[in-house]
Amino acid sequence: PYPPSAAVVRAIQEASQHKLTRYPDPQGTVFRRRAGEVLGVDPDGILCGNGSDDILTIVTRALVGAGQVMRTPYPSYILYRTLAQLQGAICEEVSFESDWSLPPRFAAATESLRLVVLPNPNSPSGTLVPPDVILRMAEQLPCPLLVDEAYVDFAETSCLSLVARCERLMVSRSFSKSYALAGLRFGFLVAQPDLVTQFEKVKDSYNCDALAIAGATAAIDDQDWLQSTQTRLRRTREESAVALRQLGFSVQPSQANFLWCTRTDRPLKPVYEQLKSAQILVRYMQYPQWGDGLRVSIGTDAQMDALLTVLRRIL
């Protein structure tokens, strides 16, 4: 809900004056070098993408063929299923347990399995599978495991350090959430360098433009801004969760920048529609065997107060 770092705006303005007459660096080298320093990873193991959706597309295109299997948890990000379908592949969805843990068969080896994708933290639940559990799964699997960490900057832990320990484990990141740059479209992958070399063969030639590379480099360089924003959002997230529970919602403890809110005493679609009519937008989601819920993104304190005020009137 907050604007990005002022350094990002300055970097984009400067790039617009000097870098638009030539094609951008197809590898985003300046970003890879700075991100490697900030995150403590090998720059050669970083692949830049036009948002993390582009990263997911590249990885799926490279690893999964027609008739082969891509495994994901359920419920989670619906793009995974679409990417498998575009490849003519089978999307095998393994349901979370009732406590949002993963059953043993999520890591089971099958003959046609070519890729496993795990959003961590997950959407819509905001829950997190511990890194040690993910490492064990990656070591059991016969194929790469991509951990989609789009929301990880709001969490307490990450799988980034595991990439160097397991050649089958990869991590994708997004600048859309924690860096407030959804409109810039920039994401990246951290994997073993030899895998990144192969992925570069199937990506679009210039999949990241010069302004996005400049802005993302400035963003990851300003870790003070990131930490300040993390602190504000986490505090607002916890305060909002308490207030929503007081209104009768069951609110899943969240490691993301949203809250998954359910209740059994009334249907939630009418609540969603009444919020929308009051110009308050939350996400209504419904899943077979899981029921429905409201995924509430964390806004500013004033925005969350407005949500709670309208909810009190509705309820």
Side-chain angles (χ1 to χ4, degrees), residues 51-87:
S52 62
D53 285 358
D54 185 34
I55 294 297
L56 296 170
T57 300
I58 291 168
V59 172
T60 305
R61 183 186 298 162
L63 296 178
V64 187
Q68 296 175 336
V69 175
M70 172 175 160
R71 182 180 294 158
T72 69
Y74 179 86
S76 67
Y77 190 24
I78 60 174
L79 179 67
Y80 305 146
R81 184 190 311 162
T82 301
L83 293 177
Q85 291 170 342
L86 288 171
Q87 294 297 108

PDB file of all heavy atoms in Angstrom, residues 51-87:
ATOM      1  N   GLY A  51       8.417 -10.051 -14.282  1.00  0.00           N
ATOM      2  CA  GLY A  51       7.564 -10.518 -13.195  1.00  0.00           C
ATOM      3  C   GLY A  51       7.859 -11.980 -12.916  1.00  0.00           C
ATOM      4  O   GLY A  51       8.427 -12.687 -13.755  1.00  0.00           O
ATOM      5  N   SER A  52       7.484 -12.456 -11.739  1.00  0.00           N
ATOM      6  CA  SER A  52       7.749 -13.863 -11.436  1.00  0.00           C
ATOM      7  C   SER A  52       6.874 -14.788 -12.279  1.00  0.00           C
ATOM      8  O   SER A  52       7.199 -15.965 -12.456  1.00  0.00           O
ATOM      9  CB  SER A  52       7.568 -14.149  -9.942  1.00  0.00           C
ATOM     10  OG  SER A  52       6.244 -13.895  -9.534  1.00  0.00           O
ATOM     11  N   ASP A  53       5.763 -14.271 -12.841  1.00  0.00           N
ATOM     12  CA  ASP A  53       4.973 -15.087 -13.773  1.00  0.00           C
ATOM     13  C   ASP A  53       5.818 -15.492 -14.977  1.00  0.00           C
ATOM     14  O   ASP A  53       5.692 -16.615 -15.486  1.00  0.00           O
ATOM     15  CB  ASP A  53       3.746 -14.315 -14.252  1.00  0.00           C
ATOM     16  CG  ASP A  53       2.651 -14.229 -13.198  1.00  0.00           C
ATOM     17  OD1 ASP A  53       2.835 -14.811 -12.108  1.00  0.00           O
ATOM     18  OD2 ASP A  53       1.635 -13.578 -13.454  1.00  0.00           O
ATOM     19  N   ASP A  54       6.664 -14.593 -15.456  1.00  0.00           N
ATOM     20  CA  ASP A  54       7.557 -14.913 -16.567  1.00  0.00           C
ATOM     21  C   ASP A  54       8.541 -16.004 -16.160  1.00  0.00           C
ATOM     22  O   ASP A  54       8.839 -16.919 -16.941  1.00  0.00           O
ATOM     23  CB  ASP A  54       8.304 -13.641 -16.995  1.00  0.00           C
ATOM     24  CG  ASP A  54       9.174 -13.837 -18.225  1.00  0.00           C
ATOM     25  OD1 ASP A  54       8.792 -14.625 -19.117  1.00  0.00           O
ATOM     26  OD2 ASP A  54      10.232 -13.173 -18.309  1.00  0.00           O
ATOM     27  N   ILE A  55       9.045 -15.923 -14.944  1.00  0.00           N
ATOM     28  CA  ILE A  55       9.957 -16.957 -14.442  1.00  0.00           C
ATOM     29  C   ILE A  55       9.250 -18.312 -14.419  1.00  0.00           C
ATOM     30  O   ILE A  55       9.797 -19.336 -14.850  1.00  0.00           O
ATOM     31  CB  ILE A  55      10.460 -16.598 -13.030  1.00  0.00           C
ATOM     32  CG1 ILE A  55      11.340 -15.338 -13.080  1.00  0.00           C
ATOM     33  CG2 ILE A  55      11.201 -17.766 -12.403  1.00  0.00           C
ATOM     34  CD1 ILE A  55      12.606 -15.480 -13.877  1.00  0.00           C
ATOM     35  N   LEU A  56       8.021 -18.342 -13.914  1.00  0.00           N
ATOM     36  CA  LEU A  56       7.259 -19.589 -13.878  1.00  0.00           C
ATOM     37  C   LEU A  56       7.042 -20.142 -15.284  1.00  0.00           C
ATOM     38  O   LEU A  56       7.126 -21.352 -15.514  1.00  0.00           O
ATOM     39  CB  LEU A  56       5.911 -19.357 -13.193  1.00  0.00           C
ATOM     40  CG  LEU A  56       5.951 -18.957 -11.715  1.00  0.00           C
ATOM     41  CD1 LEU A  56       4.565 -18.518 -11.246  1.00  0.00           C
ATOM     42  CD2 LEU A  56       6.468 -20.093 -10.856  1.00  0.00           C
ATOM     43  N   THR A  57       6.788 -19.240 -16.225  1.00  0.00           N
ATOM     44  CA  THR A  57       6.585 -19.657 -17.618  1.00  0.00           C
ATOM     45  C   THR A  57       7.855 -20.261 -18.197  1.00  0.00           C
ATOM     46  O   THR A  57       7.825 -21.309 -18.851  1.00  0.00           O
ATOM     47  CB  THR A  57       6.134 -18.460 -18.459  1.00  0.00           C
ATOM     48  OG1 THR A  57       4.909 -17.933 -17.940  1.00  0.00           O
ATOM     49  CG2 THR A  57       5.925 -18.856 -19.917  1.00  0.00           C
ATOM     50  N   ILE A  58       8.980 -19.600 -17.983  1.00  0.00           N
ATOM     51  CA  ILE A  58      10.257 -20.075 -18.513  1.00  0.00           C
ATOM     52  C   ILE A  58      10.597 -21.453 -17.966  1.00  0.00           C
ATOM     53  O   ILE A  58      10.971 -22.374 -18.704  1.00  0.00           O
ATOM     54  CB  ILE A  58      11.377 -19.065 -18.173  1.00  0.00           C
ATOM     55  CG1 ILE A  58      11.179 -17.763 -18.962  1.00  0.00           C
ATOM     56  CG2 ILE A  58      12.760 -19.662 -18.476  1.00  0.00           C
ATOM     57  CD1 ILE A  58      12.052 -16.616 -18.478  1.00  0.00           C
ATOM     58  N   VAL A  59      10.462 -21.614 -16.656  1.00  0.00           N
ATOM     59  CA  VAL A  59      10.808 -22.890 -16.020  1.00  0.00           C
ATOM     60  C   VAL A  59       9.897 -24.005 -16.525  1.00  0.00           C
ATOM     61  O   VAL A  59      10.352 -25.112 -16.839  1.00  0.00           O
ATOM     62  CB  VAL A  59      10.747 -22.760 -14.489  1.00  0.00           C
ATOM     63  CG1 VAL A  59      10.901 -24.125 -13.825  1.00  0.00           C
ATOM     64  CG2 VAL A  59      11.837 -21.808 -13.994  1.00  0.00           C
ATOM     65  N   THR A  60       8.604 -23.724 -16.606  1.00  0.00           N
ATOM     66  CA  THR A  60       7.664 -24.740 -17.084  1.00  0.00           C
ATOM     67  C   THR A  60       7.955 -25.103 -18.535  1.00  0.00           C
ATOM     68  O   THR A  60       7.971 -26.281 -18.910  1.00  0.00           O
ATOM     69  CB  THR A  60       6.211 -24.237 -16.945  1.00  0.00           C
ATOM     70  OG1 THR A  60       5.975 -23.841 -15.603  1.00  0.00           O
ATOM     71  CG2 THR A  60       5.233 -25.333 -17.324  1.00  0.00           C
ATOM     72  N   ARG A  61       8.196 -24.101 -19.368  1.00  0.00           N
ATOM     73  CA  ARG A  61       8.490 -24.344 -20.778  1.00  0.00           C
ATOM     74  C   ARG A  61       9.739 -25.193 -20.950  1.00  0.00           C
ATOM     75  O   ARG A  61       9.823 -26.049 -21.832  1.00  0.00           O
ATOM     76  CB  ARG A  61       8.656 -23.005 -21.498  1.00  0.00           C
ATOM     77  CG  ARG A  61       8.897 -23.109 -22.997  1.00  0.00           C
ATOM     78  CD  ARG A  61       9.197 -21.733 -23.582  1.00  0.00           C
ATOM     79  NE  ARG A  61       8.069 -20.833 -23.414  1.00  0.00           N
ATOM     80  CZ  ARG A  61       8.167 -19.503 -23.516  1.00  0.00           C
ATOM     81  NH1 ARG A  61       9.350 -18.951 -23.738  1.00  0.00           N
ATOM     82  NH2 ARG A  61       7.106 -18.749 -23.388  1.00  0.00           N
ATOM     83  N   ALA A  62      10.723 -24.972 -20.097  1.00  0.00           N
ATOM     84  CA  ALA A  62      11.996 -25.686 -20.230  1.00  0.00           C
ATOM     85  C   ALA A  62      11.920 -27.124 -19.734  1.00  0.00           C
ATOM     86  O   ALA A  62      12.596 -28.003 -20.275  1.00  0.00           O
ATOM     87  CB  ALA A  62      13.086 -24.933 -19.465  1.00  0.00           C
ATOM     88  N   LEU A  63      11.108 -27.371 -18.717  1.00  0.00           N
ATOM     89  CA  LEU A  63      11.177 -28.660 -18.023  1.00  0.00           C
ATOM     90  C   LEU A  63      10.017 -29.607 -18.286  1.00  0.00           C
ATOM     91  O   LEU A  63      10.170 -30.820 -18.113  1.00  0.00           O
ATOM     92  CB  LEU A  63      11.277 -28.414 -16.508  1.00  0.00           C
ATOM     93  CG  LEU A  63      12.529 -27.684 -16.023  1.00  0.00           C
ATOM     94  CD1 LEU A  63      12.452 -27.477 -14.511  1.00  0.00           C
ATOM     95  CD2 LEU A  63      13.787 -28.448 -16.382  1.00  0.00           C
ATOM     96  N   VAL A  64       8.854 -29.082 -18.662  1.00  0.00           N
ATOM     97  CA  VAL A  64       7.654 -29.915 -18.728  1.00  0.00           C
ATOM     98  C   VAL A  64       7.157 -30.020 -20.164  1.00  0.00           C
ATOM     99  O   VAL A  64       6.899 -28.997 -20.813  1.00  0.00           O
ATOM    100  CB  VAL A  64       6.529 -29.349 -17.831  1.00  0.00           C
ATOM    101  CG1 VAL A  64       5.363 -30.326 -17.789  1.00  0.00           C
ATOM    102  CG2 VAL A  64       7.047 -29.084 -16.420  1.00  0.00           C
ATOM    103  N   GLY A  65       7.015 -31.247 -20.654  1.00  0.00           N
ATOM    104  CA  GLY A  65       6.538 -31.480 -22.006  1.00  0.00           C
ATOM    105  C   GLY A  65       5.140 -32.061 -22.033  1.00  0.00           C
ATOM    106  O   GLY A  65       4.544 -32.375 -20.994  1.00  0.00           O
ATOM    107  N   ALA A  66       4.622 -32.231 -23.242  1.00  0.00           N
ATOM    108  CA  ALA A  66       3.276 -32.765 -23.428  1.00  0.00           C
ATOM    109  C   ALA A  66       3.163 -34.159 -22.812  1.00  0.00           C
ATOM    110  O   ALA A  66       4.041 -35.002 -22.991  1.00  0.00           O
ATOM    111  CB  ALA A  66       2.943 -32.820 -24.913  1.00  0.00           C
ATOM    112  N   GLY A  67       2.098 -34.355 -22.058  1.00  0.00           N
ATOM    113  CA  GLY A  67       1.844 -35.645 -21.433  1.00  0.00           C
ATOM    114  C   GLY A  67       2.602 -35.881 -20.151  1.00  0.00           C
ATOM    115  O   GLY A  67       2.360 -36.891 -19.462  1.00  0.00           O
ATOM    116  N   GLN A  68       3.511 -34.989 -19.807  1.00  0.00           N
ATOM    117  CA  GLN A  68       4.267 -35.131 -18.565  1.00  0.00           C
ATOM    118  C   GLN A  68       3.531 -34.442 -17.420  1.00  0.00           C
ATOM    119  O   GLN A  68       2.505 -33.798 -17.629  1.00  0.00           O
ATOM    120  CB  GLN A  68       5.684 -34.570 -18.759  1.00  0.00           C
ATOM    121  CG  GLN A  68       6.477 -35.360 -19.791  1.00  0.00           C
ATOM    122  CD  GLN A  68       7.832 -34.743 -20.093  1.00  0.00           C
ATOM    123  OE1 GLN A  68       8.063 -33.550 -19.916  1.00  0.00           O
ATOM    124  NE2 GLN A  68       8.747 -35.568 -20.583  1.00  0.00           N
ATOM    125  N   VAL A  69       4.068 -34.577 -16.204  1.00  0.00           N
ATOM    126  CA  VAL A  69       3.331 -34.132 -15.010  1.00  0.00           C
ATOM    127  C   VAL A  69       4.059 -32.989 -14.315  1.00  0.00           C
ATOM    128  O   VAL A  69       5.275 -33.031 -14.118  1.00  0.00           O
ATOM    129  CB  VAL A  69       3.140 -35.304 -14.017  1.00  0.00           C
ATOM    130  CG1 VAL A  69       2.482 -34.824 -12.726  1.00  0.00           C
ATOM    131  CG2 VAL A  69       2.298 -36.405 -14.661  1.00  0.00           C
ATOM    132  N   MET A  70       3.278 -31.984 -13.947  1.00  0.00           N
ATOM    133  CA  MET A  70       3.729 -30.886 -13.091  1.00  0.00           C
ATOM    134  C   MET A  70       2.863 -30.919 -11.838  1.00  0.00           C
ATOM    135  O   MET A  70       1.637 -30.929 -11.927  1.00  0.00           O
ATOM    136  CB  MET A  70       3.573 -29.552 -13.830  1.00  0.00           C
ATOM    137  CG  MET A  70       3.821 -28.316 -13.012  1.00  0.00           C
ATOM    138  SD  MET A  70       3.725 -26.867 -14.113  1.00  0.00           S
ATOM    139  CE  MET A  70       3.428 -25.567 -12.924  1.00  0.00           C
ATOM    140  N   ARG A  71       3.484 -30.968 -10.690  1.00  0.00           N
ATOM    141  CA  ARG A  71       2.740 -31.127  -9.428  1.00  0.00           C
ATOM    142  C   ARG A  71       2.707 -29.812  -8.654  1.00  0.00           C
ATOM    143  O   ARG A  71       3.734 -29.127  -8.526  1.00  0.00           O
ATOM    144  CB  ARG A  71       3.377 -32.218  -8.577  1.00  0.00           C
ATOM    145  CG  ARG A  71       2.654 -32.496  -7.258  1.00  0.00           C
ATOM    146  CD  ARG A  71       3.368 -33.594  -6.482  1.00  0.00           C
ATOM    147  NE  ARG A  71       3.292 -34.880  -7.187  1.00  0.00           N
ATOM    148  CZ  ARG A  71       4.132 -35.890  -6.990  1.00  0.00           C
ATOM    149  NH1 ARG A  71       5.135 -35.757  -6.115  1.00  0.00           N
ATOM    150  NH2 ARG A  71       4.003 -37.015  -7.652  1.00  0.00           N
ATOM    151  N   THR A  72       1.543 -29.491  -8.105  1.00  0.00           N
ATOM    152  CA  THR A  72       1.367 -28.296  -7.285  1.00  0.00           C
ATOM    153  C   THR A  72       0.470 -28.634  -6.104  1.00  0.00           C
ATOM    154  O   THR A  72      -0.270 -29.623  -6.142  1.00  0.00           O
ATOM    155  CB  THR A  72       0.712 -27.152  -8.087  1.00  0.00           C
ATOM    156  OG1 THR A  72      -0.656 -27.496  -8.376  1.00  0.00           O
ATOM    157  CG2 THR A  72       1.451 -26.892  -9.382  1.00  0.00           C
ATOM    158  N   PRO A  73       0.501 -27.831  -5.048  1.00  0.00           N
ATOM    159  CA  PRO A  73      -0.463 -28.039  -3.964  1.00  0.00           C
ATOM    160  C   PRO A  73      -1.806 -27.417  -4.333  1.00  0.00           C
ATOM    161  O   PRO A  73      -1.914 -26.646  -5.300  1.00  0.00           O
ATOM    162  CB  PRO A  73       0.184 -27.312  -2.786  1.00  0.00           C
ATOM    163  CG  PRO A  73       0.958 -26.216  -3.423  1.00  0.00           C
ATOM    164  CD  PRO A  73       1.445 -26.749  -4.735  1.00  0.00           C
ATOM    165  N   TYR A  74      -2.824 -27.759  -3.549  1.00  0.00           N
ATOM    166  CA  TYR A  74      -4.155 -27.186  -3.760  1.00  0.00           C
ATOM    167  C   TYR A  74      -4.796 -26.928  -2.391  1.00  0.00           C
ATOM    168  O   TYR A  74      -4.713 -27.772  -1.516  1.00  0.00           O
ATOM    169  CB  TYR A  74      -5.035 -28.155  -4.563  1.00  0.00           C
ATOM    170  CG  TYR A  74      -6.433 -27.633  -4.786  1.00  0.00           C
ATOM    171  CD1 TYR A  74      -6.708 -26.797  -5.864  1.00  0.00           C
ATOM    172  CD2 TYR A  74      -7.465 -27.938  -3.893  1.00  0.00           C
ATOM    173  CE1 TYR A  74      -7.989 -26.296  -6.057  1.00  0.00           C
ATOM    174  CE2 TYR A  74      -8.745 -27.435  -4.077  1.00  0.00           C
ATOM    175  CZ  TYR A  74      -8.995 -26.618  -5.162  1.00  0.00           C
ATOM    176  OH  TYR A  74     -10.257 -26.103  -5.350  1.00  0.00           O
ATOM    177  N   PRO A  75      -5.404 -25.735  -2.244  1.00  0.00           N
ATOM    178  CA  PRO A  75      -5.491 -24.632  -3.201  1.00  0.00           C
ATOM    179  C   PRO A  75      -4.243 -23.758  -3.175  1.00  0.00           C
ATOM    180  O   PRO A  75      -3.607 -23.595  -2.141  1.00  0.00           O
ATOM    181  CB  PRO A  75      -6.712 -23.854  -2.701  1.00  0.00           C
ATOM    182  CG  PRO A  75      -6.762 -24.110  -1.225  1.00  0.00           C
ATOM    183  CD  PRO A  75      -6.241 -25.499  -1.037  1.00  0.00           C
ATOM    184  N   SER A  76      -3.934 -23.191  -4.350  1.00  0.00           N
ATOM    185  CA  SER A  76      -2.795 -22.279  -4.448  1.00  0.00           C
ATOM    186  C   SER A  76      -2.977 -21.416  -5.688  1.00  0.00           C
ATOM    187  O   SER A  76      -4.101 -21.235  -6.171  1.00  0.00           O
ATOM    188  CB  SER A  76      -1.465 -23.050  -4.480  1.00  0.00           C
ATOM    189  OG  SER A  76      -1.349 -23.805  -5.677  1.00  0.00           O
ATOM    190  N   TYR A  77      -1.898 -20.925  -6.228  1.00  0.00           N
ATOM    191  CA  TYR A  77      -1.914 -19.983  -7.348  1.00  0.00           C
ATOM    192  C   TYR A  77      -2.425 -20.684  -8.606  1.00  0.00           C
ATOM    193  O   TYR A  77      -1.846 -21.680  -9.047  1.00  0.00           O
ATOM    194  CB  TYR A  77      -0.506 -19.450  -7.546  1.00  0.00           C
ATOM    195  CG  TYR A  77      -0.355 -18.285  -8.502  1.00  0.00           C
ATOM    196  CD1 TYR A  77      -1.408 -17.419  -8.790  1.00  0.00           C
ATOM    197  CD2 TYR A  77       0.883 -18.044  -9.109  1.00  0.00           C
ATOM    198  CE1 TYR A  77      -1.241 -16.352  -9.644  1.00  0.00           C
ATOM    199  CE2 TYR A  77       1.057 -16.975  -9.964  1.00  0.00           C
ATOM    200  CZ  TYR A  77      -0.007 -16.138 -10.224  1.00  0.00           C
ATOM    201  OH  TYR A  77       0.171 -15.068 -11.086  1.00  0.00           O
ATOM    202  N   ILE A  78      -3.495 -20.144  -9.212  1.00  0.00           N
ATOM    203  CA  ILE A  78      -4.141 -20.838 -10.335  1.00  0.00           C
ATOM    204  C   ILE A  78      -3.321 -20.784 -11.619  1.00  0.00           C
ATOM    205  O   ILE A  78      -3.580 -21.563 -12.545  1.00  0.00           O
ATOM    206  CB  ILE A  78      -5.554 -20.276 -10.591  1.00  0.00           C
ATOM    207  CG1 ILE A  78      -5.486 -18.773 -10.921  1.00  0.00           C
ATOM    208  CG2 ILE A  78      -6.461 -20.523  -9.387  1.00  0.00           C
ATOM    209  CD1 ILE A  78      -6.827 -18.189 -11.324  1.00  0.00           C
ATOM    210  N   LEU A  79      -2.321 -19.909 -11.716  1.00  0.00           N
ATOM    211  CA  LEU A  79      -1.511 -19.846 -12.932  1.00  0.00           C
ATOM    212  C   LEU A  79      -0.747 -21.140 -13.177  1.00  0.00           C
ATOM    213  O   LEU A  79      -0.503 -21.509 -14.327  1.00  0.00           O
ATOM    214  CB  LEU A  79      -0.524 -18.674 -12.861  1.00  0.00           C
ATOM    215  CG  LEU A  79       0.399 -18.516 -14.075  1.00  0.00           C
ATOM    216  CD1 LEU A  79      -0.393 -18.129 -15.322  1.00  0.00           C
ATOM    217  CD2 LEU A  79       1.499 -17.491 -13.802  1.00  0.00           C
ATOM    218  N   TYR A  80      -0.378 -21.854 -12.113  1.00  0.00           N
ATOM    219  CA  TYR A  80       0.379 -23.094 -12.295  1.00  0.00           C
ATOM    220  C   TYR A  80      -0.373 -24.059 -13.217  1.00  0.00           C
ATOM    221  O   TYR A  80       0.203 -24.652 -14.130  1.00  0.00           O
ATOM    222  CB  TYR A  80       0.621 -23.782 -10.946  1.00  0.00           C
ATOM    223  CG  TYR A  80       1.297 -22.942  -9.897  1.00  0.00           C
ATOM    224  CD1 TYR A  80       0.981 -23.096  -8.546  1.00  0.00           C
ATOM    225  CD2 TYR A  80       2.263 -21.996 -10.228  1.00  0.00           C
ATOM    226  CE1 TYR A  80       1.598 -22.347  -7.558  1.00  0.00           C
ATOM    227  CE2 TYR A  80       2.888 -21.231  -9.243  1.00  0.00           C
ATOM    228  CZ  TYR A  80       2.542 -21.406  -7.914  1.00  0.00           C
ATOM    229  OH  TYR A  80       3.159 -20.653  -6.947  1.00  0.00           O
ATOM    230  N   ARG A  81      -1.659 -24.207 -12.971  1.00  0.00           N
ATOM    231  CA  ARG A  81      -2.476 -25.112 -13.780  1.00  0.00           C
ATOM    232  C   ARG A  81      -2.500 -24.647 -15.239  1.00  0.00           C
ATOM    233  O   ARG A  81      -2.384 -25.458 -16.166  1.00  0.00           O
ATOM    234  CB  ARG A  81      -3.893 -25.169 -13.215  1.00  0.00           C
ATOM    235  CG  ARG A  81      -4.811 -26.160 -13.906  1.00  0.00           C
ATOM    236  CD  ARG A  81      -6.245 -25.969 -13.435  1.00  0.00           C
ATOM    237  NE  ARG A  81      -6.338 -25.918 -11.981  1.00  0.00           N
ATOM    238  CZ  ARG A  81      -7.393 -25.427 -11.326  1.00  0.00           C
ATOM    239  NH1 ARG A  81      -8.412 -24.916 -12.008  1.00  0.00           N
ATOM    240  NH2 ARG A  81      -7.422 -25.429 -10.010  1.00  0.00           N
ATOM    241  N   THR A  82      -2.643 -23.351 -15.441  1.00  0.00           N
ATOM    242  CA  THR A  82      -2.679 -22.805 -16.804  1.00  0.00           C
ATOM    243  C   THR A  82      -1.373 -23.065 -17.547  1.00  0.00           C
ATOM    244  O   THR A  82      -1.380 -23.448 -18.725  1.00  0.00           O
ATOM    245  CB  THR A  82      -2.964 -21.299 -16.755  1.00  0.00           C
ATOM    246  OG1 THR A  82      -4.214 -21.076 -16.096  1.00  0.00           O
ATOM    247  CG2 THR A  82      -3.017 -20.708 -18.151  1.00  0.00           C
ATOM    248  N   LEU A  83      -0.250 -22.876 -16.870  1.00  0.00           N
ATOM    249  CA  LEU A  83       1.049 -23.097 -17.512  1.00  0.00           C
ATOM    250  C   LEU A  83       1.224 -24.554 -17.911  1.00  0.00           C
ATOM    251  O   LEU A  83       1.775 -24.852 -18.980  1.00  0.00           O
ATOM    252  CB  LEU A  83       2.176 -22.655 -16.581  1.00  0.00           C
ATOM    253  CG  LEU A  83       2.249 -21.152 -16.295  1.00  0.00           C
ATOM    254  CD1 LEU A  83       3.361 -20.856 -15.294  1.00  0.00           C
ATOM    255  CD2 LEU A  83       2.483 -20.361 -17.580  1.00  0.00           C
ATOM    256  N   ALA A  84       0.772 -25.472 -17.067  1.00  0.00           N
ATOM    257  CA  ALA A  84       0.835 -26.890 -17.423  1.00  0.00           C
ATOM    258  C   ALA A  84      -0.031 -27.175 -18.642  1.00  0.00           C
ATOM    259  O   ALA A  84       0.380 -27.887 -19.572  1.00  0.00           O
ATOM    260  CB  ALA A  84       0.400 -27.746 -16.237  1.00  0.00           C
ATOM    261  N   GLN A  85      -1.227 -26.611 -18.683  1.00  0.00           N
ATOM    262  CA  GLN A  85      -2.130 -26.825 -19.812  1.00  0.00           C
ATOM    263  C   GLN A  85      -1.534 -26.291 -21.106  1.00  0.00           C
ATOM    264  O   GLN A  85      -1.690 -26.903 -22.171  1.00  0.00           O
ATOM    265  CB  GLN A  85      -3.476 -26.166 -19.523  1.00  0.00           C
ATOM    266  CG  GLN A  85      -4.267 -26.853 -18.409  1.00  0.00           C
ATOM    267  CD  GLN A  85      -5.482 -26.066 -17.974  1.00  0.00           C
ATOM    268  OE1 GLN A  85      -5.586 -24.871 -18.232  1.00  0.00           O
ATOM    269  NE2 GLN A  85      -6.412 -26.728 -17.290  1.00  0.00           N
ATOM    270  N   LEU A  86      -0.855 -25.160 -21.050  1.00  0.00           N
ATOM    271  CA  LEU A  86      -0.230 -24.593 -22.244  1.00  0.00           C
ATOM    272  C   LEU A  86       0.848 -25.519 -22.813  1.00  0.00           C
ATOM    273  O   LEU A  86       1.115 -25.515 -24.014  1.00  0.00           O
ATOM    274  CB  LEU A  86       0.385 -23.224 -21.928  1.00  0.00           C
ATOM    275  CG  LEU A  86      -0.607 -22.080 -21.707  1.00  0.00           C
ATOM    276  CD1 LEU A  86       0.115 -20.846 -21.196  1.00  0.00           C
ATOM    277  CD2 LEU A  86      -1.349 -21.764 -22.994  1.00  0.00           C
ATOM    278  N   GLN A  87       1.452 -26.310 -21.944  1.00  0.00           N
ATOM    279  CA  GLN A  87       2.468 -27.270 -22.382  1.00  0.00           C
ATOM    280  C   GLN A  87       1.865 -28.601 -22.815  1.00  0.00           C
ATOM    281  O   GLN A  87       2.591 -29.502 -23.231  1.00  0.00           O
ATOM    282  CB  GLN A  87       3.465 -27.522 -21.244  1.00  0.00           C
ATOM    283  CG  GLN A  87       4.316 -26.318 -20.865  1.00  0.00           C
ATOM    284  CD  GLN A  87       5.197 -25.869 -22.013  1.00  0.00           C
ATOM    285  OE1 GLN A  87       4.959 -24.831 -22.626  1.00  0.00           O
ATOM    286  NE2 GLN A  87       6.203 -26.668 -22.340  1.00  0.00           N
TER     287      GLN A  87
END
